[in-house]
Amino acid sequence: MQTFADALKHWRHARRLSQLDLAMVADVSARHVAFLETGRAQPSRAMLLHLAEVLALPRHARNSLLHLAGFAPVYPALALDDAAMAPVRAAMDWTISRHAPYPAVIMDRLWRLVAMNAPANALFGAIGLGPGDSLLDALQSPHGARTAIENWAEVGYHTMIRLRTESDAAGGIAELDATARYLAQDPAIGAWQAPTHLPVIVPTVYIAHGLRLSLFSTYATFGSAEDVALRDMKIELSSPQTRPAAKALLPCKLAQDRGKVPQIGIARRAFCPTTHPSRSLTCPSTTPTTPSLFSRPLANVAALPLARPC
């Protein structure tokens, strides 16, 4: 059974600090740190939270330390459908729905797809992924991500590094570590070498629905989140790197295929129609000549339960 002393020592080692290093950064005596790690001293609640802040511990790890030291957890762990999370759900939906016509997804700390907009649903649907599915499973499947990514070796290498980085920051996440080890054993990834002249940004080149889509990602997080799960949640916003990719993702083709403007949760409008009726989003009558990702009917998108639109 792990004790507070064991947990503190584990996190100090994970942050590559000596007892003296931690003492200096935390402005406490090295003797006190040593006593805490041997169990000769017990921390106050304030001291525990101070050391957790200095060690930059994830919220769930701070709650765990509090529990081991005999204190009640202070960081909430609410379900996403809890009433207190309504503003967060609205912000998530606003972000991914307004990123259309480009794909956007929301992932938890284990890379599980929490929500996705219509373009992402079409793109990831090509390899059988939807809300609730795990990207880690797709990365480890021989019929998953690699079959839909043209530059798999390059993307797989960078994904492996990202998995290791996220796991290290969290003090070790078994699922992320297992996927990183799996990718490290892939011959294509192992043989990949960075080019002499690196590009400005590394895209992921998807092959889906007969299209070649070169996309790069931007990640967004909730910087002031105190909830355990929300703190580790991230929004991935994909953007086209090439003009053909941008044209293939035009929303008008989707609107014409389905007979309406794409939306998820909150209605997709440029402005609230009650206050700006002339500025509602409309689709031009001309049909794009470039093939569209949305040439096939889309599956229903699992929308988050959200506040009513304006």
Side-chain angles (χ1 to χ4, degrees):
M1 181 178 179
Q2 189 181 44
T3 64
F4 169 80
D6 295 332
L8 179 61
K9 185 183 298 184
H10 162 79
W11 280 106
R12 179 176 60 78
H13 288 163
R15 296 300 186 245
R16 297 175 175 83
L17 295 174
S18 66
Q19 289 183 344
L20 181 59
D21 291 334
L22 177 57
M24 292 180 64
V25 176
D27 195 23
V28 298
S29 70
R31 181 182 181 185
H32 186 54
V33 173
F35 278 18
L36 289 174
E37 290 190 357
T38 58
R40 295 181 63 183
Q42 291 298 314
S44 66
R45 182 176 177 276
M47 174 57 69
L48 188 155
L49 291 174
H50 175 59
L51 292 175
E53 188 67 32
V54 169
L55 291 168
L57 301 191
R59 277 12 184 200
H60 68 86
R62 301 185 191 200
N63 275 349
S64 177
L65 282 181
L66 286 164
H67 174 73
L68 291 173
F71 300 106
V74 299
Y75 298 99
L78 303 177
L80 198 54
D81 59 359
D82 190 279
M85 299 287 275
V88 173
R89 296 196 305 270
M92 288 179 172
D93 184 83
W94 194 96
T95 301
I96 65 174
S97 63
R98 280 157 179 77
H99 192 64
Y102 308 137
V105 301
I106 300 172
M107 296 182 290
D108 64 14
R109 69 192 295 264
L110 297 181
W111 292 37
R112 183 179 65 90
L113 294 169
V114 176
M116 56 206 317
N117 65 4
N121 190 74
L123 179 61
F124 287 104
I127 55 174
L129 288 175
D133 292 329
S134 170
L135 289 181
L136 299 183
D137 292 341
L139 289 170
Q140 295 190 58
S141 170
H143 307 293
R146 71 186 64 215
T147 63
I149 297 176
E150 181 180 275
N151 57 335
W152 166 250
E154 183 178 28
V155 171
Y157 174 81
H158 288 286
T159 301
M160 176 183 67
I161 299 301
R162 184 176 184 85
L163 288 166
R164 290 173 175 171
T165 301
E166 289 189 14
S167 179
D168 287 344
I173 301 178
E175 294 85 351
L176 270 58
D177 292 336
T179 304
R181 289 193 298 269
Y182 179 88
L183 294 177
Q185 296 171 0
D186 187 304
I189 294 174
W192 182 83
Q193 294 184 348
T196 304
H197 301 288
L198 293 174
V200 173
I201 193 165
V202 176
T204 300
V205 183
Y206 294 97
I207 304 298
H209 303 299
L211 301 172
R212 183 178 185 273
L213 303 173
S214 182
L215 308 174
F216 63 90
S217 295
T218 301
Y219 289 91
T221 58
F222 291 90
S224 60
E226 296 292 4
D227 181 85
V228 171
L230 186 60
R231 186 76 178 190
D232 295 325
M233 207 165 286
K234 50 189 171 287
I235 303 175
E236 182 179 4
L237 306 171
S238 299
S239 300
Q241 189 196 37
T242 63
R243 183 171 296 180
K247 289 183 177 180
L249 291 166
L250 282 173
C252 293
K253 178 62 177 174
L254 172 61
Q256 290 162 357
D257 282 348
R258 300 192 66 185
K260 60 181 180 180
V261 175
Q263 58 186 14
I264 173 174
I266 297 177
R268 178 176 163 80
R269 303 188 184 98
F271 295 89
C272 177
T274 58
T275 55
H276 299 279
S278 64
R279 298 183 182 178
S280 296
L281 184 66
T282 58
C283 178
S285 58
T286 56
T287 302
T289 57
T290 304
S292 168
L293 174 64
F294 308 106
S295 58
R296 299 180 182 180
L298 293 177
N300 293 328
V301 179
L304 299 170
L306 303 168
R308 294 177 61 187
C310 59

